[in-house]
């Protein structure tokens, strides 16, 4: 796998872009590169890209260093997404009919044209329902156009908080949920759900747990000093690693891809 695809997680944060490239070696993940790319002030505000041209210029030199064989899982701000649960219809639907039914249900619920939305859905067997994650088409299209202009190979666009789910299998019981924060927000995830909460007034994982109705004793912060280092997901890694390694937690979860 030394010449295999680089699987890259890319997390666009308010202060910069954090990326990591992994490859599979002997059935384990190995680190190839990590990046911290600074951004001009106000390029990203509250998770939303305000100046796409500035972001493009910042990423252009980096994009030219990537090997041809790469796949990028790009973070999308959870604060720009909407999650809905719809009970399954009584009738059995084929895949195409099911997709159409979910799209119609979502458009009616949000009172928006279906063409204005991009969405993904999963079956929730416990509730006999579909769990739907939606975003505005223009937000997703903007990122896809940026990737195309930089010749980046996008494998997936994933809500940033959702990427934490990929790290949950590394937790030691009874811990079963994770959280991560930057100056403006908290991101959190369990195996079944995920979300975002503004950082204002929430100064600890315990305070966050109270807001999202989770047991603080069963949660863990993505912070090496607090007991969980997201870099443990990468068995083969060579120094030097970044000093502020906790900032890469979302990028690491993205690079790991979906759990098999």
């Amino acid at each position: 796998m030394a010449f295999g695809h680089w699987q890259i997680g890319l997390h666009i944060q308010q202060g910069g872009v954090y990326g990591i490239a992994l490859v599979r070696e002997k059935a384990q993940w190995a680190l190839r590169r990590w990046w911290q790319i600074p951004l001009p002030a106000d390029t990203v505000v509250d998770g939303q890209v305000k100046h796409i041209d500035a972001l493009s210029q910042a990423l252009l030199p980096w994009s030219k260093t990537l090997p041809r064989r790469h796949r990028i899982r790009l973070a999308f701000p959870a604060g720009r997404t909407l999650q809905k649960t719809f009970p399954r219809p009584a009738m059995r639907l084929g895949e195409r009919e099911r997709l159409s039914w979910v799209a119609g249900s979502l458009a009616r619920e949000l009172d928006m044209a279906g063409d204005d939305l991009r969405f993904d859905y999963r079956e929730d067997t416990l509730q006999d329902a579909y769990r739907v994650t939606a975003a505005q088409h223009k937000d997703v299209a903007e990122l896809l156009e940026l990737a195309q202009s930089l010749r980046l190979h996008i494998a997936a666009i994933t809500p940033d908080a959702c990427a934490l789910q990929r790290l949950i299998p590394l937790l030691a019981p009874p811990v079963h949920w994770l959280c991560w924060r930057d100056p403006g927000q908290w991101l959190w995830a369990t195996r079944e759900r995920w979300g975002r909460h503004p950082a204002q007034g929430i100064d600890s994982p315990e305070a966050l747990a109270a807001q999202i109705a989770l047991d603080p004793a069963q949660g863990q912060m993505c912070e090496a000093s607090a007991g969980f280092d997201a870099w443990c997901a990468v068995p083969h890694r060579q120094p030097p690693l970044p000093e502020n390694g906790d900032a890469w937690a979302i990028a690491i979860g993205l690079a790991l891809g979906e759990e098999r």
Side-chain angles (χ1 to χ4, degrees), residues 10-13 44-49 74-84 132-136 139-140 143 157-165 180 182 185-189 193-198 250 254:
L10 200 65
H11 186 200
I12 302 171
Q13 300 180 31
V44 178
V45 179
D46 292 332
Q48 185 176 9
V49 179
L74 178 63
F76 186 86
R80 300 290 296 173
T81 65
L82 181 69
Q83 298 179 71
K84 287 287 184 180
V132 184
T133 302
Q136 293 195 48
D139 289 344
V140 178
L143 289 177
I157 294 179
T158 303
D160 45 19
C162 181
L164 290 174
Q165 291 183 320
W180 176 89
D182 63 18
Q185 64 180 350
W186 288 87
L187 303 178
W188 60 270
R193 57 194 183 102
W194 48 266
R196 171 193 180 272
H197 201 288
I250 302 300
L254 291 166

Side-chain angles (χ1 to χ4, degrees), residues 144-221:
L144 289 174
E145 289 171 6
L146 170 66
Q148 185 176 17
S149 69
L150 297 175
R151 298 185 178 181
L152 303 179
H153 303 160
I154 301 296
I157 294 179
T158 303
D160 45 19
C162 181
L164 290 174
Q165 291 183 320
R166 191 60 178 85
L167 301 173
I168 288 177
L170 302 173
L171 298 175
V175 177
H176 70 262
W177 65 273
L178 271 175
C179 61
W180 176 89
R181 72 162 297 172
D182 63 18
Q185 64 180 350
W186 288 87
L187 303 178
W188 60 270
T190 68
R191 285 185 180 272
E192 296 80 23
R193 57 194 183 102
W194 48 266
R196 171 193 180 272
H197 201 288
Q200 185 176 7
I202 307 296
D203 59 1
S204 68
E206 292 75 18
L208 174 67
Q211 292 292 322
I212 58 179
L214 290 174
D215 184 349
Q218 296 180 338
Q220 182 72 67
M221 187 170 180

Side-chain angles (χ1 to χ4, degrees), residues 56-106:
S56 177
Q57 289 301 311
L59 291 178
L60 181 59
W62 165 78
S63 68
K64 293 179 178 179
T65 69
L66 297 181
R68 186 173 180 181
R69 292 161 62 92
H70 73 265
R71 297 190 183 99
I72 295 176
R73 296 177 65 89
L74 178 63
F76 186 86
R80 300 290 296 173
T81 65
L82 181 69
Q83 298 179 71
K84 287 287 184 180
T85 300
F86 295 108
R88 285 199 246 187
M91 75 289 286
R92 294 181 62 87
L93 300 175
E95 184 175 351
R96 183 175 298 178
E97 292 81 7
R98 184 166 60 245
L99 184 65
S100 179
W101 181 87
V102 171
S105 299
L106 185 63

Side-chain angles (χ1 to χ4, degrees), residues 115-131:
D115 291 344
D116 291 339
L117 297 168
R118 295 288 291 269
F119 69 91
D120 191 14
Y121 72 94
R122 294 187 177 185
E123 294 188 25
D124 187 334
T125 55
L126 296 178
Q127 301 185 60
D128 196 27
Y130 295 117
R131 290 186 295 169

